[in-house]
Amino acid sequence: EAEVAQSPRYKITEKSQAVAFWCDPISGHATLYWYRQILGQGPELLVQFQDESVVDDSQLPKDRFSAERLKGVDSTLKIQPAELGDSAMYLCASSPSDYSGNTIYFGEGSWLTVV
Amino acid sequence: AQSVAQPEDQVNVAEGNPLTVKCTYSVSGNPYLFWYVQYPNRGLQFLLKYITGDNLVKGSYGFEAEFNKSQTSFHLKKPSALVSDSALYFCAVRDRGSTLGRLYFGRGTQLTVWP
């Protein structure tokens, strides 16, 4: 069964350092999402791509977060500089298209701890 | 604005007994509704969704959910709980009229099934 691949699974970084997460969606999925899940809360959308274009980044803290999906396949989420409050799980997800009834499939997540 | 409420942080049930995890939602239009399950340190796994048609939706691992439009609810149910069902459960909603397709999640309900 196809899966959304994410790396690294765990990352510990010092405050003010840069950190990056990588995601490879399910093959053929045009829509890619990055969600952030803080412990004890539900996931919240950071950014949504349709192919290589950003369609929703309204909740992305653009002063320190950036995301790209250059060829419309895999994607990278970067944080620079990291802050203590960025400690969370970063979840990548994908779906076949932007049709709202499609199921969104999630990866295993990347745990970030900022110290 | 879209939102999801899961009124119970924790649900405890004995193995073999029926279980219910509650979810209510608020959307500006008509909803697509989803349930996901999360095991410790893992990503979200899709359980089931309501798109249209029969209000009773059947999903993975024997779970089902009933869409109630008048009560704006989408409660998750299972006739006979297993210890292995113990996990964190998330309800999510999408406005089918939205062009962006963002999923809004509840805070999650921790289900514990004791032997």
Side-chain angles (χ1 to χ4, degrees), chain A residues 9 33 35 37 40 42-43 45 48 55-56 58-59 98-104 106-108 111, chain B residues 32 34 36 38 41-44 46 49 51 88 90 94-96 98-103 105-107:
Chain A
R9 287 277 285 129
Y33 312 80
Y35 279 81
Q37 183 181 11
L45 183 70
Q48 177 180 341
V55 296
D56 188 353
S58 57
Q59 301 302 308
D98 203 24
Y99 164 54
S100 296
N102 275 324
T103 298
I104 297 178
F106 286 80
E108 290 293 306
W111 271 109
Chain B
Y32 293 130
F34 301 79
Y36 286 85
Q38 186 175 38
N41 298 320
R42 306 291 296 276
L44 276 67
F46 169 73
K49 65 181 178 183
I51 301 300
L88 187 58
F90 288 98
R94 265 171 145 174
D95 182 352
R96 67 176 64 204
S98 169
T99 57
L100 294 178
R102 173 197 295 229
L103 262 182
F105 285 87
R107 292 175 60 87

mmCIF file of all heavy atoms in Angstrom, chain A residues 9 33 35 37 40 42-43 45 48 55-56 58-59 98-104 106-108 111, chain B residues 32 34 36 38 41-44 46 49 51 88 90 94-96 98-103 105-107:
data_model
loop_
_atom_site.group_PDB
_atom_site.id
_atom_site.type_symbol
_atom_site.label_atom_id
_atom_site.label_comp_id
_atom_site.label_asym_id
_atom_site.label_seq_id
_atom_site.Cartn_x
_atom_site.Cartn_y
_atom_site.Cartn_z
ATOM 1 N N ARG A 9 12.350 11.342 11.184
ATOM 2 C CA ARG A 9 11.256 11.044 12.111
ATOM 3 C C ARG A 9 11.404 11.841 13.400
ATOM 4 O O ARG A 9 10.417 12.273 13.983
ATOM 5 C CB ARG A 9 11.237 9.564 12.422
ATOM 6 C CG ARG A 9 10.734 8.701 11.290
ATOM 7 C CD ARG A 9 9.198 8.655 11.262
ATOM 8 N NE ARG A 9 8.690 7.804 12.320
ATOM 9 C CZ ARG A 9 7.749 8.179 13.189
ATOM 10 N NH1 ARG A 9 7.217 9.394 13.141
ATOM 11 N NH2 ARG A 9 7.331 7.345 14.130
ATOM 12 N N TYR A 33 -0.100 18.645 1.737
ATOM 13 C CA TYR A 33 -0.367 19.478 2.911
ATOM 14 C C TYR A 33 0.757 19.299 3.945
ATOM 15 O O TYR A 33 1.286 18.204 4.112
ATOM 16 C CB TYR A 33 -1.670 19.066 3.605
ATOM 17 C CG TYR A 33 -2.874 18.887 2.722
ATOM 18 C CD1 TYR A 33 -3.068 17.724 1.986
ATOM 19 C CD2 TYR A 33 -3.862 19.875 2.647
ATOM 20 C CE1 TYR A 33 -4.191 17.536 1.201
ATOM 21 C CE2 TYR A 33 -4.986 19.696 1.865
ATOM 22 C CZ TYR A 33 -5.145 18.528 1.146
ATOM 23 O OH TYR A 33 -6.268 18.355 0.363
ATOM 24 N N TYR A 35 0.863 19.906 8.024
ATOM 25 C CA TYR A 35 0.126 20.211 9.242
ATOM 26 C C TYR A 35 1.091 20.226 10.420
ATOM 27 O O TYR A 35 2.114 19.524 10.423
ATOM 28 C CB TYR A 35 -0.950 19.150 9.527
ATOM 29 C CG TYR A 35 -2.236 19.312 8.750
ATOM 30 C CD1 TYR A 35 -2.341 18.859 7.439
ATOM 31 C CD2 TYR A 35 -3.352 19.896 9.333
ATOM 32 C CE1 TYR A 35 -3.527 18.984 6.739
ATOM 33 C CE2 TYR A 35 -4.541 20.032 8.645
ATOM 34 C CZ TYR A 35 -4.630 19.569 7.339
ATOM 35 O OH TYR A 35 -5.806 19.714 6.639
ATOM 36 N N GLN A 37 1.084 19.565 14.600
ATOM 37 C CA GLN A 37 0.297 19.054 15.720
ATOM 38 C C GLN A 37 1.073 19.274 17.014
ATOM 39 O O GLN A 37 2.097 18.633 17.257
ATOM 40 C CB GLN A 37 -0.016 17.566 15.547
ATOM 41 C CG GLN A 37 -0.903 17.009 16.653
ATOM 42 C CD GLN A 37 -1.191 15.536 16.482
ATOM 43 O OE1 GLN A 37 -0.601 14.844 15.661
ATOM 44 N NE2 GLN A 37 -2.136 15.025 17.273
ATOM 45 N N GLY A 40 -1.297 17.360 22.573
ATOM 46 C CA GLY A 40 -2.583 17.588 23.212
ATOM 47 C C GLY A 40 -3.590 18.330 22.363
ATOM 48 O O GLY A 40 -4.695 18.636 22.824
ATOM 49 N N GLY A 42 -5.285 18.976 18.147
ATOM 50 C CA GLY A 42 -5.452 18.413 16.820
ATOM 51 C C GLY A 42 -4.536 19.086 15.812
ATOM 52 O O GLY A 42 -4.043 20.189 16.051
ATOM 53 N N PRO A 43 -4.281 18.436 14.695
ATOM 54 C CA PRO A 43 -3.417 19.043 13.666
ATOM 55 C C PRO A 43 -4.025 20.321 13.101
ATOM 56 O O PRO A 43 -5.250 20.430 12.966
ATOM 57 C CB PRO A 43 -3.355 17.956 12.584
ATOM 58 C CG PRO A 43 -3.732 16.679 13.266
ATOM 59 C CD PRO A 43 -4.704 17.075 14.323
ATOM 60 N N LEU A 45 -3.471 23.146 9.800
ATOM 61 C CA LEU A 45 -2.832 23.317 8.512
ATOM 62 C C LEU A 45 -1.834 24.469 8.529
ATOM 63 O O LEU A 45 -2.142 25.567 8.974
ATOM 64 C CB LEU A 45 -3.883 23.582 7.435
ATOM 65 C CG LEU A 45 -3.342 23.722 6.015
ATOM 66 C CD1 LEU A 45 -2.853 22.384 5.487
ATOM 67 C CD2 LEU A 45 -4.403 24.304 5.086
ATOM 68 N N GLN A 48 -0.773 24.413 2.043
ATOM 69 C CA GLN A 48 -1.351 23.461 1.101
ATOM 70 C C GLN A 48 -0.858 23.781 -0.299
ATOM 71 O O GLN A 48 -0.888 24.943 -0.726
ATOM 72 C CB GLN A 48 -2.875 23.512 1.151
ATOM 73 C CG GLN A 48 -3.585 22.604 0.160
ATOM 74 C CD GLN A 48 -5.097 22.704 0.249
ATOM 75 O OE1 GLN A 48 -5.644 23.170 1.250
ATOM 76 N NE2 GLN A 48 -5.784 22.286 -0.809
ATOM 77 N N VAL A 55 -1.629 27.059 -2.454
ATOM 78 C CA VAL A 55 -3.023 27.510 -2.533
ATOM 79 C C VAL A 55 -3.535 28.022 -1.191
ATOM 80 O O VAL A 55 -4.567 28.691 -1.151
ATOM 81 C CB VAL A 55 -3.947 26.412 -3.078
ATOM 82 C CG1 VAL A 55 -3.567 26.073 -4.498
ATOM 83 C CG2 VAL A 55 -3.933 25.173 -2.206
ATOM 84 N N ASP A 56 -2.871 27.686 -0.110
ATOM 85 C CA ASP A 56 -3.267 28.171 1.212
ATOM 86 C C ASP A 56 -2.058 28.162 2.124
ATOM 87 O O ASP A 56 -1.550 27.098 2.454
ATOM 88 C CB ASP A 56 -4.388 27.315 1.801
ATOM 89 C CG ASP A 56 -4.969 27.881 3.096
ATOM 90 O OD1 ASP A 56 -4.428 28.880 3.630
ATOM 91 O OD2 ASP A 56 -5.964 27.326 3.586
ATOM 92 N N SER A 58 -2.154 30.657 4.732
ATOM 93 C CA SER A 58 -2.642 31.703 5.612
ATOM 94 C C SER A 58 -2.219 31.503 7.067
ATOM 95 O O SER A 58 -2.160 32.456 7.838
ATOM 96 C CB SER A 58 -4.168 31.795 5.530
ATOM 97 O OG SER A 58 -4.761 30.546 5.852
ATOM 98 N N GLN A 59 -1.933 30.268 7.475
ATOM 99 C CA GLN A 59 -1.538 29.981 8.851
ATOM 100 C C GLN A 59 -0.041 29.710 8.973
ATOM 101 O O GLN A 59 0.418 29.294 10.042
ATOM 102 C CB GLN A 59 -2.330 28.783 9.381
ATOM 103 C CG GLN A 59 -3.839 28.987 9.365
ATOM 104 C CD GLN A 59 -4.266 30.195 10.179
ATOM 105 O OE1 GLN A 59 -3.886 30.329 11.344
ATOM 106 N NE2 GLN A 59 -5.039 31.074 9.564
ATOM 107 N N ASP A 98 -7.813 18.354 -5.525
ATOM 108 C CA ASP A 98 -8.319 19.338 -4.590
ATOM 109 C C ASP A 98 -9.807 19.157 -4.297
ATOM 110 O O ASP A 98 -10.418 19.993 -3.665
ATOM 111 C CB ASP A 98 -8.075 20.751 -5.130
ATOM 112 C CG ASP A 98 -8.055 21.774 -4.016
ATOM 113 O OD1 ASP A 98 -7.772 21.410 -2.876
ATOM 114 O OD2 ASP A 98 -8.372 22.937 -4.283
ATOM 115 N N TYR A 99 -10.370 18.045 -4.774
ATOM 116 C CA TYR A 99 -11.774 17.778 -4.497
ATOM 117 C C TYR A 99 -11.963 17.533 -3.009
ATOM 118 O O TYR A 99 -11.271 16.702 -2.415
ATOM 119 C CB TYR A 99 -12.225 16.549 -5.296
ATOM 120 C CG TYR A 99 -13.513 15.931 -4.834
ATOM 121 C CD1 TYR A 99 -14.671 16.693 -4.720
ATOM 122 C CD2 TYR A 99 -13.572 14.587 -4.510
ATOM 123 C CE1 TYR A 99 -15.850 16.115 -4.292
ATOM 124 C CE2 TYR A 99 -14.754 13.994 -4.085
ATOM 125 C CZ TYR A 99 -15.894 14.770 -3.984
ATOM 126 O OH TYR A 99 -17.056 14.198 -3.560
ATOM 127 N N SER A 100 -12.879 18.252 -2.381
ATOM 128 C CA SER A 100 -12.985 18.245 -0.937
ATOM 129 C C SER A 100 -13.434 16.921 -0.362
ATOM 130 O O SER A 100 -13.265 16.679 0.821
ATOM 131 C CB SER A 100 -13.959 19.354 -0.492
ATOM 132 O OG SER A 100 -13.456 20.610 -0.831
ATOM 133 N N GLY A 101 -14.020 16.041 -1.172
ATOM 134 C CA GLY A 101 -14.453 14.747 -0.671
ATOM 135 C C GLY A 101 -13.361 13.705 -0.660
ATOM 136 O O GLY A 101 -13.547 12.611 -0.117
ATOM 137 N N ASN A 102 -12.211 14.032 -1.234
ATOM 138 C CA ASN A 102 -11.117 13.064 -1.254
ATOM 139 C C ASN A 102 -10.561 12.832 0.134
ATOM 140 O O ASN A 102 -10.506 13.741 0.966
ATOM 141 C CB ASN A 102 -9.982 13.557 -2.146
ATOM 142 C CG ASN A 102 -10.198 13.203 -3.597
ATOM 143 O OD1 ASN A 102 -10.724 12.147 -3.921
ATOM 144 N ND2 ASN A 102 -9.796 14.092 -4.481
ATOM 145 N N THR A 103 -10.124 11.608 0.364
ATOM 146 C CA THR A 103 -9.454 11.286 1.627
ATOM 147 C C THR A 103 -8.052 11.882 1.603
ATOM 148 O O THR A 103 -7.368 11.849 0.577
ATOM 149 C CB THR A 103 -9.367 9.773 1.813
ATOM 150 O OG1 THR A 103 -10.705 9.251 1.864
ATOM 151 C CG2 THR A 103 -8.630 9.418 3.098
ATOM 152 N N ILE A 104 -7.636 12.433 2.731
ATOM 153 C CA ILE A 104 -6.275 12.912 2.902
ATOM 154 C C ILE A 104 -5.496 11.841 3.665
ATOM 155 O O ILE A 104 -5.942 11.377 4.719
ATOM 156 C CB ILE A 104 -6.255 14.240 3.666
ATOM 157 C CG1 ILE A 104 -6.976 15.326 2.859
ATOM 158 C CG2 ILE A 104 -4.840 14.672 3.964
ATOM 159 C CD1 ILE A 104 -7.044 16.662 3.570
ATOM 160 N N PHE A 106 -2.024 10.660 5.600
ATOM 161 C CA PHE A 106 -0.947 11.268 6.366
ATOM 162 C C PHE A 106 0.274 10.366 6.440
ATOM 163 O O PHE A 106 0.178 9.143 6.443
ATOM 164 C CB PHE A 106 -1.423 11.569 7.797
ATOM 165 C CG PHE A 106 -2.343 12.742 7.896
ATOM 166 C CD1 PHE A 106 -3.692 12.618 7.592
ATOM 167 C CD2 PHE A 106 -1.865 13.990 8.260
ATOM 168 C CE1 PHE A 106 -4.548 13.705 7.663
ATOM 169 C CE2 PHE A 106 -2.713 15.080 8.347
ATOM 170 C CZ PHE A 106 -4.048 14.943 8.041
ATOM 171 N N GLY A 107 1.430 11.013 6.531
ATOM 172 C CA GLY A 107 2.657 10.317 6.818
ATOM 173 C C GLY A 107 2.802 10.048 8.302
ATOM 174 O O GLY A 107 1.916 10.387 9.096
ATOM 175 N N GLU A 108 3.942 9.464 8.682
ATOM 176 C CA GLU A 108 4.196 9.106 10.079
ATOM 177 C C GLU A 108 4.579 10.312 10.926
ATOM 178 O O GLU A 108 4.609 10.230 12.142
ATOM 179 C CB GLU A 108 5.288 8.049 10.170
ATOM 180 C CG GLU A 108 4.847 6.689 9.656
ATOM 181 C CD GLU A 108 3.772 6.074 10.532
ATOM 182 O OE1 GLU A 108 3.985 5.950 11.742
ATOM 183 O OE2 GLU A 108 2.695 5.729 10.005
ATOM 184 N N TRP A 111 8.897 14.491 14.421
ATOM 185 C CA TRP A 111 8.852 15.119 15.741
ATOM 186 C C TRP A 111 9.998 16.116 15.859
ATOM 187 O O TRP A 111 11.153 15.770 15.652
ATOM 188 C CB TRP A 111 9.007 14.070 16.841
ATOM 189 C CG TRP A 111 7.741 13.449 17.303
ATOM 190 C CD1 TRP A 111 7.331 12.178 17.077
ATOM 191 C CD2 TRP A 111 6.715 14.076 18.072
ATOM 192 N NE1 TRP A 111 6.109 11.967 17.671
ATOM 193 C CE2 TRP A 111 5.704 13.112 18.280
ATOM 194 C CE3 TRP A 111 6.543 15.356 18.600
ATOM 195 C CZ2 TRP A 111 4.542 13.397 19.001
ATOM 196 C CZ3 TRP A 111 5.386 15.627 19.313
ATOM 197 C CH2 TRP A 111 4.406 14.655 19.504
ATOM 198 N N TYR B 32 -18.188 17.704 4.663
ATOM 199 C CA TYR B 32 -17.608 16.383 4.543
ATOM 200 C C TYR B 32 -16.999 16.098 5.914
ATOM 201 O O TYR B 32 -16.340 16.955 6.490
ATOM 202 C CB TYR B 32 -16.515 16.328 3.480
ATOM 203 C CG TYR B 32 -16.996 16.518 2.063
ATOM 204 C CD1 TYR B 32 -16.380 17.438 1.223
ATOM 205 C CD2 TYR B 32 -18.049 15.768 1.554
ATOM 206 C CE1 TYR B 32 -16.798 17.612 -0.083
ATOM 207 C CE2 TYR B 32 -18.471 15.935 0.249
ATOM 208 C CZ TYR B 32 -17.848 16.858 -0.566
ATOM 209 O OH TYR B 32 -18.275 17.031 -1.846
ATOM 210 N N PHE B 34 -14.872 13.356 8.626
ATOM 211 C CA PHE B 34 -13.843 12.317 8.644
ATOM 212 C C PHE B 34 -13.534 11.918 10.091
ATOM 213 O O PHE B 34 -13.632 12.737 11.007
ATOM 214 C CB PHE B 34 -12.542 12.830 8.002
ATOM 215 C CG PHE B 34 -12.671 13.286 6.583
ATOM 216 C CD1 PHE B 34 -13.198 14.537 6.272
ATOM 217 C CD2 PHE B 34 -12.249 12.476 5.545
ATOM 218 C CE1 PHE B 34 -13.318 14.963 4.955
ATOM 219 C CE2 PHE B 34 -12.355 12.897 4.219
ATOM 220 C CZ PHE B 34 -12.887 14.134 3.928
ATOM 221 N N TYR B 36 -10.169 9.990 12.028
ATOM 222 C CA TYR B 36 -8.828 9.458 11.951
ATOM 223 C C TYR B 36 -8.446 8.901 13.317
ATOM 224 O O TYR B 36 -8.939 9.362 14.356
ATOM 225 C CB TYR B 36 -7.820 10.547 11.574
ATOM 226 C CG TYR B 36 -7.874 10.981 10.132
ATOM 227 C CD1 TYR B 36 -8.776 11.949 9.708
ATOM 228 C CD2 TYR B 36 -6.994 10.444 9.193
ATOM 229 C CE1 TYR B 36 -8.811 12.349 8.378
ATOM 230 C CE2 TYR B 36 -7.024 10.846 7.868
ATOM 231 C CZ TYR B 36 -7.934 11.797 7.466
ATOM 232 O OH TYR B 36 -7.966 12.190 6.159
ATOM 233 N N GLN B 38 -4.931 7.858 15.761
ATOM 234 C CA GLN B 38 -3.485 8.066 15.908
ATOM 235 C C GLN B 38 -2.965 7.219 17.062
ATOM 236 O O GLN B 38 -3.416 7.363 18.197
ATOM 237 C CB GLN B 38 -3.187 9.545 16.161
ATOM 238 C CG GLN B 38 -1.706 9.877 16.181
ATOM 239 C CD GLN B 38 -1.440 11.358 16.322
ATOM 240 O OE1 GLN B 38 -2.146 12.062 17.044
ATOM 241 N NE2 GLN B 38 -0.437 11.860 15.621
ATOM 242 N N ASN B 41 3.119 8.247 18.855
ATOM 243 C CA ASN B 41 4.271 8.606 18.018
ATOM 244 C C ASN B 41 4.089 8.223 16.554
ATOM 245 O O ASN B 41 5.081 7.999 15.843
ATOM 246 C CB ASN B 41 5.558 7.987 18.560
ATOM 247 C CG ASN B 41 5.891 8.495 19.941
ATOM 248 O OD1 ASN B 41 5.717 9.682 20.235
ATOM 249 N ND2 ASN B 41 6.336 7.627 20.805
ATOM 250 N N ARG B 42 2.868 8.119 16.106
ATOM 251 C CA ARG B 42 2.573 7.781 14.716
ATOM 252 C C ARG B 42 1.757 8.883 14.061
ATOM 253 O O ARG B 42 1.241 9.784 14.727
ATOM 254 C CB ARG B 42 1.809 6.452 14.640
ATOM 255 C CG ARG B 42 2.466 5.288 15.350
ATOM 256 C CD ARG B 42 3.747 4.848 14.639
ATOM 257 N NE ARG B 42 3.512 4.336 13.311
ATOM 258 C CZ ARG B 42 3.157 3.091 13.039
ATOM 259 N NH1 ARG B 42 2.987 2.223 14.012
ATOM 260 N NH2 ARG B 42 2.987 2.710 11.792
ATOM 261 N N GLY B 43 1.647 8.786 12.738
ATOM 262 C CA GLY B 43 0.787 9.722 12.026
ATOM 263 C C GLY B 43 -0.672 9.336 12.150
ATOM 264 O O GLY B 43 -1.031 8.429 12.899
ATOM 265 N N LEU B 44 -1.525 10.039 11.417
ATOM 266 C CA LEU B 44 -2.960 9.778 11.457
ATOM 267 C C LEU B 44 -3.346 8.749 10.410
ATOM 268 O O LEU B 44 -2.909 8.825 9.264
ATOM 269 C CB LEU B 44 -3.741 11.071 11.194
ATOM 270 C CG LEU B 44 -3.975 11.991 12.401
ATOM 271 C CD1 LEU B 44 -2.683 12.579 12.911
ATOM 272 C CD2 LEU B 44 -4.965 13.076 12.039
ATOM 273 N N PHE B 46 -6.560 7.035 8.416
ATOM 274 C CA PHE B 46 -7.942 7.256 8.024
ATOM 275 C C PHE B 46 -8.820 6.075 8.448
ATOM 276 O O PHE B 46 -8.460 4.913 8.240
ATOM 277 C CB PHE B 46 -8.003 7.445 6.509
ATOM 278 C CG PHE B 46 -9.390 7.429 5.934
ATOM 279 C CD1 PHE B 46 -10.244 8.502 6.125
ATOM 280 C CD2 PHE B 46 -9.831 6.343 5.189
ATOM 281 C CE1 PHE B 46 -11.512 8.494 5.588
ATOM 282 C CE2 PHE B 46 -11.095 6.334 4.643
ATOM 283 C CZ PHE B 46 -11.941 7.407 4.847
ATOM 284 N N LYS B 49 -15.275 8.155 6.343
ATOM 285 C CA LYS B 49 -15.732 9.504 6.000
ATOM 286 C C LYS B 49 -17.182 9.481 5.570
ATOM 287 O O LYS B 49 -17.684 8.461 5.060
ATOM 288 C CB LYS B 49 -14.855 10.114 4.901
ATOM 289 C CG LYS B 49 -14.937 9.394 3.557
ATOM 290 C CD LYS B 49 -14.019 10.061 2.534
ATOM 291 C CE LYS B 49 -14.056 9.322 1.203
ATOM 292 N NZ LYS B 49 -13.117 9.919 0.208
ATOM 293 N N ILE B 51 -19.569 11.461 2.932
ATOM 294 C CA ILE B 51 -19.596 12.370 1.789
ATOM 295 C C ILE B 51 -21.050 12.699 1.438
ATOM 296 O O ILE B 51 -21.445 13.860 1.386
ATOM 297 C CB ILE B 51 -18.877 11.761 0.573
ATOM 298 C CG1 ILE B 51 -17.428 11.443 0.940
ATOM 299 C CG2 ILE B 51 -18.945 12.700 -0.622
ATOM 300 C CD1 ILE B 51 -16.618 12.647 1.364
ATOM 301 N N LEU B 88 -5.732 7.534 20.105
ATOM 302 C CA LEU B 88 -6.274 8.902 20.070
ATOM 303 C C LEU B 88 -7.091 9.049 18.789
ATOM 304 O O LEU B 88 -6.595 8.741 17.700
ATOM 305 C CB LEU B 88 -5.106 9.892 20.098
ATOM 306 C CG LEU B 88 -5.402 11.379 20.222
ATOM 307 C CD1 LEU B 88 -6.207 11.676 21.478
ATOM 308 C CD2 LEU B 88 -4.083 12.152 20.243
ATOM 309 N N PHE B 90 -9.466 11.403 16.194
ATOM 310 C CA PHE B 90 -9.728 12.765 15.756
ATOM 311 C C PHE B 90 -10.880 12.794 14.765
ATOM 312 O O PHE B 90 -10.908 12.017 13.806
ATOM 313 C CB PHE B 90 -8.497 13.361 15.063
ATOM 314 C CG PHE B 90 -7.367 13.684 15.989
ATOM 315 C CD1 PHE B 90 -6.305 12.807 16.132
ATOM 316 C CD2 PHE B 90 -7.358 14.865 16.717
ATOM 317 C CE1 PHE B 90 -5.253 13.097 16.979
ATOM 318 C CE2 PHE B 90 -6.310 15.166 17.574
ATOM 319 C CZ PHE B 90 -5.257 14.276 17.708
ATOM 320 N N ARG B 94 -14.654 19.258 6.612
ATOM 321 C CA ARG B 94 -14.352 20.120 5.474
ATOM 322 C C ARG B 94 -15.657 20.680 4.959
ATOM 323 O O ARG B 94 -16.655 19.976 4.906
ATOM 324 C CB ARG B 94 -13.727 19.311 4.343
ATOM 325 C CG ARG B 94 -12.247 19.279 4.285
ATOM 326 C CD ARG B 94 -11.856 18.260 3.242
ATOM 327 N NE ARG B 94 -10.663 18.656 2.530
ATOM 328 C CZ ARG B 94 -10.044 17.888 1.652
ATOM 329 N NH1 ARG B 94 -10.518 16.704 1.365
ATOM 330 N NH2 ARG B 94 -8.967 18.295 1.046
ATOM 331 N N ASP B 95 -15.629 21.942 4.588
ATOM 332 C CA ASP B 95 -16.783 22.556 3.958
ATOM 333 C C ASP B 95 -16.780 22.162 2.480
ATOM 334 O O ASP B 95 -15.858 22.522 1.756
ATOM 335 C CB ASP B 95 -16.700 24.075 4.126
ATOM 336 C CG ASP B 95 -17.902 24.805 3.524
ATOM 337 O OD1 ASP B 95 -18.727 24.165 2.848
ATOM 338 O OD2 ASP B 95 -18.005 26.018 3.750
ATOM 339 N N ARG B 96 -17.796 21.444 2.018
ATOM 340 C CA ARG B 96 -17.784 20.968 0.640
ATOM 341 C C ARG B 96 -17.886 22.114 -0.365
ATOM 342 O O ARG B 96 -17.594 21.937 -1.543
ATOM 343 C CB ARG B 96 -18.909 19.966 0.406
ATOM 344 C CG ARG B 96 -20.310 20.510 0.489
ATOM 345 C CD ARG B 96 -21.319 19.427 0.142
ATOM 346 N NE ARG B 96 -21.294 18.334 1.111
ATOM 347 C CZ ARG B 96 -21.697 17.098 0.838
ATOM 348 N NH1 ARG B 96 -22.119 16.800 -0.357
ATOM 349 N NH2 ARG B 96 -21.669 16.157 1.759
ATOM 350 N N SER B 98 -15.985 24.748 -0.078
ATOM 351 C CA SER B 98 -14.714 25.460 -0.032
ATOM 352 C C SER B 98 -13.814 25.040 -1.179
ATOM 353 O O SER B 98 -13.695 23.861 -1.477
ATOM 354 C CB SER B 98 -14.006 25.180 1.292
ATOM 355 O OG SER B 98 -12.674 25.656 1.245
ATOM 356 N N THR B 99 -13.170 25.980 -1.795
ATOM 357 C CA THR B 99 -12.253 25.657 -2.881
ATOM 358 C C THR B 99 -10.889 25.242 -2.343
ATOM 359 O O THR B 99 -10.072 24.725 -3.082
ATOM 360 C CB THR B 99 -12.074 26.865 -3.807
ATOM 361 O OG1 THR B 99 -11.599 27.976 -3.034
ATOM 362 C CG2 THR B 99 -13.384 27.244 -4.474
ATOM 363 N N LEU B 100 -10.635 25.499 -1.088
ATOM 364 C CA LEU B 100 -9.313 25.204 -0.542
ATOM 365 C C LEU B 100 -9.226 23.819 0.082
ATOM 366 O O LEU B 100 -8.158 23.259 0.196
ATOM 367 C CB LEU B 100 -8.926 26.263 0.488
ATOM 368 C CG LEU B 100 -8.723 27.660 -0.077
ATOM 369 C CD1 LEU B 100 -8.387 28.645 1.022
ATOM 370 C CD2 LEU B 100 -7.631 27.660 -1.136
ATOM 371 N N GLY B 101 -10.329 23.279 0.538
ATOM 372 C CA GLY B 101 -10.336 21.915 1.021
ATOM 373 C C GLY B 101 -9.608 21.665 2.311
ATOM 374 O O GLY B 101 -9.214 20.545 2.592
ATOM 375 N N ARG B 102 -9.405 22.699 3.136
ATOM 376 C CA ARG B 102 -8.697 22.512 4.407
ATOM 377 C C ARG B 102 -9.522 21.635 5.331
ATOM 378 O O ARG B 102 -10.734 21.789 5.459
ATOM 379 C CB ARG B 102 -8.466 23.879 5.043
ATOM 380 C CG ARG B 102 -7.902 23.824 6.442
ATOM 381 C CD ARG B 102 -8.091 25.145 7.113
ATOM 382 N NE ARG B 102 -7.318 26.170 6.429
ATOM 383 C CZ ARG B 102 -6.512 27.013 7.057
ATOM 384 N NH1 ARG B 102 -6.379 26.935 8.356
ATOM 385 N NH2 ARG B 102 -5.858 27.933 6.396
ATOM 386 N N LEU B 103 -8.848 20.706 6.011
ATOM 387 C CA LEU B 103 -9.476 19.886 7.048
ATOM 388 C C LEU B 103 -9.316 20.584 8.399
ATOM 389 O O LEU B 103 -8.217 21.006 8.753
ATOM 390 C CB LEU B 103 -8.795 18.527 7.151
ATOM 391 C CG LEU B 103 -9.397 17.307 6.461
ATOM 392 C CD1 LEU B 103 -8.553 16.076 6.763
ATOM 393 C CD2 LEU B 103 -10.830 17.071 6.858
ATOM 394 N N PHE B 105 -9.644 19.985 12.416
ATOM 395 C CA PHE B 105 -9.654 18.875 13.356
ATOM 396 C C PHE B 105 -10.154 19.297 14.729
ATOM 397 O O PHE B 105 -9.966 20.442 15.155
ATOM 398 C CB PHE B 105 -8.240 18.310 13.527
ATOM 399 C CG PHE B 105 -7.768 17.496 12.372
ATOM 400 C CD1 PHE B 105 -7.143 18.089 11.290
ATOM 401 C CD2 PHE B 105 -7.937 16.116 12.374
ATOM 402 C CE1 PHE B 105 -6.698 17.325 10.224
ATOM 403 C CE2 PHE B 105 -7.492 15.351 11.313
ATOM 404 C CZ PHE B 105 -6.873 15.962 10.232
ATOM 405 N N GLY B 106 -10.750 18.327 15.453
ATOM 406 C CA GLY B 106 -11.011 18.510 16.857
ATOM 407 C C GLY B 106 -9.732 18.286 17.654
ATOM 408 O O GLY B 106 -8.682 17.973 17.103
ATOM 409 N N ARG B 107 -9.853 18.425 18.976
ATOM 410 C CA ARG B 107 -8.691 18.282 19.846
ATOM 411 C C ARG B 107 -8.322 16.834 20.105
ATOM 412 O O ARG B 107 -7.247 16.549 20.636
ATOM 413 C CB ARG B 107 -8.944 18.986 21.174
ATOM 414 C CG ARG B 107 -9.022 20.500 21.056
ATOM 415 C CD ARG B 107 -9.391 21.093 22.395
ATOM 416 N NE ARG B 107 -8.395 20.760 23.420
ATOM 417 C CZ ARG B 107 -7.302 21.468 23.646
ATOM 418 N NH1 ARG B 107 -7.045 22.554 22.927
ATOM 419 N NH2 ARG B 107 -6.452 21.116 24.598
#
